[in-house]
Each structure stands twice: as C-alpha cells, then as structure tokens.
Amino acid sequence: MTAKQKRIMSKNKWVILITATAFLFVAGFAYEESKKTVTLDSNGIQEEISTHAKTVEELLAEQQINVKAADDLSHSKESKLKDRMTIVWKEAHKIELSIDGKTNKVWTTADTVQTLLKQENLFLGKHDEIKPDYSAPLKNGTKVTINKAFLLTLDDGGKKRPVWTTSITVADFLNKQNLTVGPLDILSLKQDRVLQPNDYFAITRIEKVTDVVEEPKPFPVVERKDSTMPKGKEKIIKAGKEGLASKRYEITRKNGQEVSRKLLAETTLKESEEQIVAVGTKEESSVAAAAPGPGRELVVTSTAYTAHCSGCSGITATGLNLIANPGMKVIAVDPSIIPLGSKVYVEGYGYAVAGDTGGAIKGHKIDVFIPSQSGAKSWGRKQVRIKVLN
C-alpha cells in the first residue's frame, strides 16, 4: 500500500469515528428528551421523577411500590403518564375496630379517628364513648373502641332519674357514676350483673345512727284503801312528780326515713316521786245509791279509762285536763245519746259530767274516768244505770 493510500485510509477512520460519536450523542439526547417528569406523592412525601414509564402501573413498579386494594391511588393503574403529572399514593394501615365488644380488622387510609368514622359511616350519640378520642392519629395496629350508650332508670335512695350509660356491669356503672355503696345499703341488682337497656336499678340507702334524748319518767301511783270514803271515790293525798331520764337509741333509717328505734341505754337524771291516792271502800246505803232528782234514766255498758295511757294527752274533748285534775268525775259518751256537758249520775261511780268522747264509745256505752290504772282495771266492763240530770 502506497503512502497516499495509507493517508486516505487514516482520514476515513477519523470521519467514521466522528460520525459514530455524533450519532450516539444525538441518539442519547433524543432518548433523554423522551423521558417524562412526574411528581410522585408517596404517603405525603413528594418526589419529582424522570421516567420512560408509559403508565401509572409501570411507574409504581419502577419505584417498587405494591399497591393494595385498600390503598388510595389518585389515578388508575392503566392511566397513561403525562409530563408534569402528579400521582398520589396513600398506603392503607390495618386497625382493630371494636363496637360494643365485637371486634373487626379494618384496612383504612384515615389519618385520624374522626376520619375513620366518616369512612365507615359511623355516627356517635352524645353519650357514646370512643377511645382514643376523635383527634387521635391512626397507625398500623391502632385499636379503636366504641361503646354505645343506652338508657336505664336509677333509683338512688328513693330519688329516681333516667341515666345514659355505656357500662357493661353494675359495678362499672357504680364506678362511672361515682356512686358509693354503704355496708348496709341494698342493691336491687348484683354488682356482677350485665346491664341491659331500660333496666331499673335501685339502691336502698340504710343507715344506723345513735341519738340521745331526754324524756319524762312517769311517776308511780300508789293506792291506799280508805274505809271512810264511799266506794268508787278517790282522793289524791300526795301529788306525784315526773322524773327525767336520758335515753340512748339506735335509730335505723331507710332512704332517710326512720323505720325502727332501739333503746340501748337509759340513765336516770331525776327520780320521779310517787303519787298517793286514797280509794274509798265504804259501801253506800240504798238510799244514797239512788240517784236524786228528776232525769232521763238509761241502762248502758260501762268501761273505765285513765289519763296515762300510751298516746293519751290527758285533755278531754271539752278541754278538761285530767292529769292536772285527777279527782274529777268525767265520763266519755256518745254525744248523740248524752249531750256533752250534761251532768249525770252513774250507778257505782257517783255524780259526773259528760265531758269526753271516744272512738269506741258509740250508742248506749260510756267510759268512766278513773285516775289509776289498777282502779280502771277493777271497774272492768259492766251494765250500769245512769241518770242524765240536765
């Protein structure tokens, strides 16, 4: 090969080399120019990406993103990529959703509890409970608990009111309502009992307290027979005086009302003084026994009473004080038979005034006043003649 031929061949090599280099540069530039620039928002993190991917699916595959059915994707996987396109992908997380004790696994892209409720179309009432609260963030494994409230009736010590609650048991209800149960209180439902809507729950409040009071101490009545006085006549020789006692009671109250009172101890503060009564034993003559003067005669059933019976005030229906005047002769009558205020003569009792009434004194019945209990018992029940003098 001549020197000229060598020069021509060397020149041709350079031309080919330069041409090949230019072709590769143009081809490479054209390849780069064919890329699209897109923005990928992945769980809130944005990244600008240059890609030859033709579809959203290809782009996600390039970025090694596996999209699950529960995930949020702004475009379908088949969507064609366009330059300056923004693709948003939000990955779903798995949470536990418990409603009234029933738990389900839920996939969601919600960021907060409140967003989750909207997605699941769950609406809570004013008294319903939810944990954690509405603003709490959600992440994989979060447990959301919802307890629906129901209505029941609470009777606390006799005071009834409706109460909304989410409590499962009576014990939990007492705790949430800040209700303290005393050692003597009675519950209508056991504490481990499961509550139901429209239940009626009553707490009967029982308390025992000690009370000390001062009470009068009745004086004893001593009778002395007097043969100089007509039979049936009595006379106070020495007036009695009441004493004073301090009594300590245990009082039981049910829902604030006293239901029983038990005497625990009694101390005498002042001794009572006995009353001495002379009781006549002299039999009246037949002449003296007859009721003098004109009047309406009746045959009646008679009994006797005293002013010291339980619950007695000692004041008659006409205002006579039999405790202050134990020597008075008074009978209780039915005013439709014997008018109140009438003067009468009672066989075996003597002159008296119709000055009292009684629940059991109806019709032809009378009740004669005798100051001592023993005298009243001695009188008993008997038929007597009575003359109404005016």
Side-chain angles (χ1 to χ4, degrees):
M1 181 179 293
T2 63
K4 182 178 180 179
Q5 287 176 327
K6 288 181 178 180
R7 287 195 301 271
I8 292 172
M9 184 175 289
S10 177
K11 184 177 180 180
N12 287 340
K13 284 182 178 179
W14 280 105
V15 170
I16 291 170
L17 180 61
I18 292 171
T19 301
T21 302
F23 175 77
L24 291 174
F25 175 78
V26 171
F29 179 79
Y31 180 77
E32 288 298 321
E33 284 295 312
S34 67
K35 285 184 177 180
K36 301 178 185 67
T37 301
V38 298
T39 300
L40 178 61
D41 186 326
S42 174
N43 290 322
I45 301 174
Q46 293 187 350
E47 181 183 4
E48 193 173 87
I49 299 172
S50 293
T51 180
H52 283 105
K54 296 179 180 180
T55 64
V56 171
E57 186 174 19
E58 291 179 6
L59 173 67
L60 295 173
E62 282 183 359
Q63 299 300 316
Q64 297 182 349
I65 294 175
N66 181 26
V67 179
K68 298 183 291 293
D71 295 350
D72 280 345
L73 189 60
S74 60
H75 299 76
S76 66
K77 292 181 179 180
E78 295 77 18
S79 297
K80 292 183 178 181
L81 285 183
K82 296 179 181 179
D83 198 36
R84 302 301 172 185
M85 192 177 193
T86 298
I87 310 298
V88 180
W89 169 65
K90 194 171 187 180
E91 186 178 18
H93 36 262
K94 185 168 66 174
I95 66 162
E96 288 187 16
L97 179 60
S98 177
I99 302 177
D100 290 336
K102 185 177 180 181
T103 302
N104 291 312
K105 305 291 185 181
V106 176
W107 285 92
T108 180
T109 57
D111 295 322
T112 64
V113 172
Q114 188 170 23
T115 307
L116 171 68
L117 296 180
K118 289 181 180 178
Q119 287 184 356
E120 297 295 320
N121 293 318
L122 294 173
F123 302 95
L124 301 189
K126 177 182 178 181
H127 304 283
D128 295 341
E129 281 185 354
I130 185 167
K131 292 180 181 179
D133 60 30
Y134 289 103
S135 61
L138 292 180
K139 60 183 180 180
N140 204 45
T142 298
K143 184 173 182 178
V144 178
T145 303
I146 296 173
N147 291 317
K148 293 284 189 176
F150 56 90
L151 192 65
L152 58 75
T153 299
L154 171 64
D155 182 344
D156 186 2
K159 297 179 181 179
K160 299 178 184 179
R161 59 187 175 94
V163 177
W164 285 95
T165 183
T166 58
S167 296
I168 302 300
T169 64
V170 171
D172 184 55
F173 175 80
L174 292 170
N175 181 54
K176 287 183 178 178
Q177 297 295 321
N178 294 319
L179 293 170
T180 302
V181 179
L184 302 177
D185 293 342
I186 302 171
L187 304 182
S188 64
L189 302 175
K190 293 182 178 180
Q191 294 207 33
D192 59 355
R193 200 260 206 186
V194 176
L195 289 172
Q196 302 294 333
N198 302 315
D199 264 343
Y200 178 86
F201 175 46
I203 306 173
T204 302
R205 299 293 185 178
I206 305 294
E207 62 174 342
K208 290 188 177 182
V209 297
T210 301
D211 188 22
V212 178
V213 296
E214 291 185 357
E215 296 181 359
K217 192 173 182 179
F219 54 79
V221 177
V222 178
E223 293 184 350
R224 293 181 180 175
K225 293 180 180 181
D226 189 335
S227 61
T228 65
M229 293 173 55
K231 185 176 181 180
K233 188 173 179 62
E234 294 183 356
K235 181 181 178 180
I236 296 177
I237 299 174
K238 177 180 176 293
K241 292 183 179 180
E242 289 184 335
L244 187 64
S246 174
K247 295 182 179 181
R248 183 161 60 92
Y249 290 96
E250 180 186 73
I251 300 173
T252 302
R253 296 194 183 108
K254 179 179 178 181
N255 292 339
Q257 301 295 319
E258 183 176 328
V259 293
S260 68
R261 178 178 289 248
K262 179 182 178 182
L263 180 62
L264 300 177
E266 179 176 352
T267 303
T268 299
L269 303 178
K270 179 183 177 183
E271 292 288 352
S272 59
E273 296 181 16
E274 65 182 14
Q275 178 166 288
I276 301 175
V277 179
V279 179
T281 59
K282 182 180 179 180
E283 293 289 343
E284 293 182 296
S285 66
S286 58
V287 175
R296 179 165 56 98
E297 286 193 10
L298 301 170
V299 176
V300 297
T301 299
S302 69
T303 52
Y305 72 103
T306 73
H308 296 284
C309 61
S310 176
C312 295
S313 66
I315 307 299
T316 71
T318 57
L320 300 175
N321 190 332
L322 298 180
I323 293 178
N325 301 279
M328 294 184 71
K329 293 284 189 173
V330 179
I331 65 172
V333 300
D334 181 345
S336 67
I337 305 298
I338 303 173
L340 284 174
S342 299
K343 292 182 179 179
V344 298
Y345 184 84
V346 180
E347 181 183 13
Y349 184 67
Y351 291 99
V353 62
D356 207 352
T357 60
I361 307 304
K362 301 295 181 184
H364 287 66
K365 294 181 180 180
I366 66 169
D367 212 3
V368 300
F369 168 68
I370 296 177
S372 67
Q373 292 182 357
S374 60
K377 288 181 180 178
S378 296
W379 181 273
R381 177 186 294 270
K382 54 189 174 182
Q383 297 284 325
V384 297
R385 291 184 179 274
I386 181 171
K387 180 174 281 191
V388 182
L389 302 177
N390 64 343

